[in-house]
Amino acid sequence: MQLSAFSGRCYQLRVSRNCLSTRATSSPVLIDLKFQPKLYRCFRRDTIHARAAQNITLDKSQGGRMRPPARVLLTNDDGPESSFFQAWVQHVKDVLKWNYVVCIPGQQQSFVSKCISHGPLQVTHIDSRTMHVNGSPATCSNLAIHSLVPDVDFVVSGPNVGHNVGRASVLSSGTLGAAMEASLAHKKAIAISFPFNGWGSWTGDDISTAVKMAGNVATQLWEEWQSDDVQADVFNVNVPLGFKTVDGTPVKPEVLHTTVDMQSQYSSLYKAIDNQEGGYEWGPKGLKPFDLPAPTAGGDVAAVKAGHVSISALRTGFIQPAAKI
């Protein structure tokens, strides 16, 4: 399955001290990417707070705020041993206060895209809210949505341990695969990833800050999704740990809407096993999007490379070229 990035609703976000808010102007203006040094994607800059003009249901019990999700499915592709998942679940429970359920692979299932496990499957109930499945991330989504918790209306996959930027990673990611599977069931879904500068280089504060940012972004996207003019099937979100450039320089993060960088690719994913005729093992080559000499302006690679948060609006479908006459 191919994902196409598109402009969808046209707005940009900024980070305030306590929350994610929007920067809006009074008139709709299209922004030409080649004149945007800060990597802003082409978004119409009309106000997104004029909810009175939109048919949106507000939750009066929360002071007129947008209603929260009825139930959120939390899944991932790194399984229960993920370095970031428990902190995220705790944030969803204690800060976002969403009604949630967890359904994740029983072991690490990275780089499997939207692979579906044929089974037989075994669901292991860890506690009243948590289930482990001996299947792929997309399988967890499908099983949870259709068989285990059918009242789910929002699916959040991740946080992935590492980035998911650039075409090669986006098409291969199990984190994205789970979100794509949810979108096929007509569920709103986002995939969250935490890029880092080196394995184990993050601190507890880095994780805490990234989790808070991810929560703000997820909440904002859920609220914006309540309007009819948001056409995205999936949002792909990358929140750099520590908000640093790839060379380790701290930055003041911006939240940027981006396209998927189509330059990203890889070559062989396997290497021969020494002294084993016909044997190969995992050994990917070229899967390093941040090594691109000139990342696409307005793209996800450029945004994360500069230490910023990237949000890419995606459609889960095949792009069909115009037929030749």
Side-chain angles (χ1 to χ4, degrees), residues 11-14 20-24 47-49 220 224:
Y11 56 85
Q12 62 193 57
L13 302 174
R14 63 184 171 82
L20 191 70
S21 60
T22 61
R23 182 185 304 166
T47 178
I48 61 174
H49 280 313
Q220 185 72 42
E224 291 309 315

Side-chain angles (χ1 to χ4, degrees), residues 24-37:
T25 59
S26 58
S27 59
V29 179
L30 288 180
I31 306 171
D32 191 333
L33 274 180
K34 64 184 178 182
F35 297 115
Q36 295 304 309

Side-chain angles (χ1 to χ4, degrees), residues 45-118:
R45 297 163 65 182
D46 55 349
T47 178
I48 61 174
H49 280 313
R51 294 196 172 101
Q54 304 175 15
N55 184 22
I56 301 175
T57 301
L58 298 179
D59 186 348
K60 294 183 180 179
S61 67
Q62 297 190 34
R65 287 168 44 191
M66 197 75 62
R67 71 167 183 85
R71 186 179 296 195
V72 182
L73 170 62
L74 304 179
T75 189
N76 71 6
D77 73 352
D78 291 301
E81 301 304 316
S82 166
S83 301
F84 312 137
F85 189 68
Q86 289 307 316
W88 170 241
V89 173
Q90 202 66 38
H91 185 80
V92 168
K93 177 183 178 182
D94 296 339
V95 179
L96 301 184
K97 299 186 183 302
W98 285 345
N99 180 21
Y100 73 92
V101 63
V102 172
C103 186
I104 60 175
Q107 59 185 8
Q108 203 258 16
Q109 292 268 354
S110 293
F111 217 78
V112 297
S113 189
K114 210 187 76 62
C115 167
I116 295 294
S117 306
H118 289 188

Side-chain angles (χ1 to χ4, degrees), residues 104-313:
I104 60 175
Q107 59 185 8
Q108 203 258 16
Q109 292 268 354
S110 293
F111 217 78
V112 297
S113 189
K114 210 187 76 62
C115 167
I116 295 294
S117 306
H118 289 188
L121 301 174
Q122 178 64 49
V123 178
T124 302
H125 291 266
I126 305 303
D127 56 44
S128 61
R129 290 179 181 262
T130 305
M131 295 167 284
H132 293 175
V133 178
N134 61 331
S136 69
T139 299
C140 291
S141 279
N142 185 283
L143 190 63
I145 291 168
H146 295 290
S147 302
L148 303 175
V149 280
D151 61 338
V152 160
D153 57 355
F154 191 29
V155 177
V156 181
S157 183
N160 187 65
V161 180
H163 74 81
N164 271 312
V165 295
R167 176 178 60 175
S169 293
V170 168
L171 287 173
S172 305
S173 166
T175 303
L176 264 296
M180 285 192 287
E181 184 65 25
S183 79
L184 292 180
H186 307 291
K187 305 297 182 182
K188 298 172 176 64
I190 66 175
I192 298 174
S193 300
F194 287 175
F196 50 80
N197 286 345
W199 181 260
S201 63
W202 55 82
T203 66
D205 286 343
D206 291 340
I207 296 174
S208 177
T209 302
V211 163
K212 290 177 183 177
M213 175 64 82
N216 289 340
V217 171
T219 300
Q220 185 72 42
L221 292 176
W222 166 258
E223 292 183 354
E224 291 309 315
W225 234 322
Q226 305 312 300
S227 67
D228 293 334
D229 58 339
V230 178
Q231 301 298 314
D233 294 326
V234 172
F235 282 105
N236 184 35
V237 179
N238 281 266
V239 181
L241 288 171
F243 300 118
K244 301 173 184 177
T245 64
V246 292
D247 63 5
T249 303
V251 300
K252 184 177 181 180
E254 297 181 55
V255 179
L256 306 179
H257 281 261
T258 60
T259 57
V260 175
D261 197 318
M262 302 301 283
Q263 299 180 78
S264 174
Q265 59 185 14
Y266 51 76
S267 55
S268 173
L269 294 176
Y270 306 97
K271 61 182 180 180
I273 299 176
D274 293 340
N275 302 319
Q276 182 178 330
E277 184 178 355
Y280 290 83
E281 61 185 357
W282 184 251
K285 296 180 180 178
L287 193 62
K288 296 181 178 180
F290 301 119
D291 289 345
L292 289 173
T296 302
D300 51 0
V301 174
V304 173
K305 188 173 183 178
H308 301 305
V309 178
S310 166
I311 303 176
S312 298

